[in-house]
Amino acid sequence: MEKIVLIGAGGHCKVIIDIIKSTNKYEIIGITDNEKKGYLLDIPIIGNDDVLSDIYSKGVKNAFICIGALNDMKIREKIFNNLKSIGFKLPILKHKNSIVSLYAEIGEGNCIMAGAIINAGARIESNCIINTASIIEHDCKIGFNCHISPNASIGGNVTIGHNSHIGIGSIIIQNVNIGSNVTIGAGSVVINNIDNDKLVVGIPGKVKKYKK
C-alpha cells in the first residue's frame, strides 16, 4: 500500500480521510498543519509544512491538499506548487459513490466526493474540489484549482477559469463562460457570462463587486 501525507487538519480533511480509507489504496502517515496539534479523527498531526521535504526524502511520495473553502483560492495554489516543487505526486481521490464518465478528463490532485456526477466530455484541470452531490455536465471545462461546492449544478458546455469558487447550491446554465478568480455566491443562478475577478450573487446572478 502506498503512503500519503495530508496537508491541512480542518473539517474538509475529515472527508478526505473517509475517502482514502474507503479506497484501501493509501496508508495515511499523518497530517501537516501550521497551527493545530494532536490528532484529527484517528490520524496524527505530525508537524507544520516545514516537515514535508523530510517526509518526501523518507519515501512518502504522495500528498494531498485537505484545505477546503477559502476566501482566497490562491492559498491552495501556493500549497500545490510547493508540493510539486518537493516532488510529491498528487493522486486523484474519488469516492466510491461518485459517478465519473469514462470520457471525462480528470487532472491530478482532484477530489471527487460522494454523489458527485461528472459527465462525458468534461475536462477538469488539477487541484480542484468537486464537492458532495455537485453536477458537472457534458463538455464543461473547469480550470485549475477550482472549488465546485455541494449541490452546485453546472450545465453543459460551461467554462470556468482557474481559482474560481462556485457556491453551495448555485446553478450555472449551459454555454456560460465564467472567468478566473470568480466567486459565485451560494444559491445564485448564473445565466450570463462573468468576467474575471468578480463576486456574483442572486437570482439571476448579478455582479456584486470586483475582487482584488
Side-chain angles (χ1 to χ4, degrees), residues 136-156:
I136 298 174
E137 267 299 344
H138 63 87
D139 301 306
C140 287
K141 296 177 178 63
I142 311 297
F144 171 77
N145 194 45
C146 288
H147 185 172
I148 311 302
S149 296
N151 286 308
S153 296
I154 301 174

Side-chain angles (χ1 to χ4, degrees), residues 58-72:
K58 291 179 178 178
V60 179
K61 303 304 182 185
N62 298 288
F64 204 84
I65 301 170
C66 298
I67 297 170
L70 295 168
N71 290 327
D72 185 1

Side-chain angles (χ1 to χ4, degrees), residues 160-164 178-183 194-198:
I160 299 175
H162 63 273
N163 288 337
S164 288
I178 306 291
S180 297
N181 193 37
V182 169
T183 296
I194 306 296
D195 292 333
N196 298 340
D197 306 309
K198 300 296 191 300

Side-chain angles (χ1 to χ4, degrees), residues 24-41:
N24 202 35
K25 184 176 180 180
Y26 298 100
E27 175 191 352
I28 305 171
I29 62 103
I31 307 166
T32 65
D33 194 281
N34 291 331
E35 298 179 359
K36 298 177 182 178
K37 298 181 180 179
Y39 284 77
L40 182 70
L41 302 180

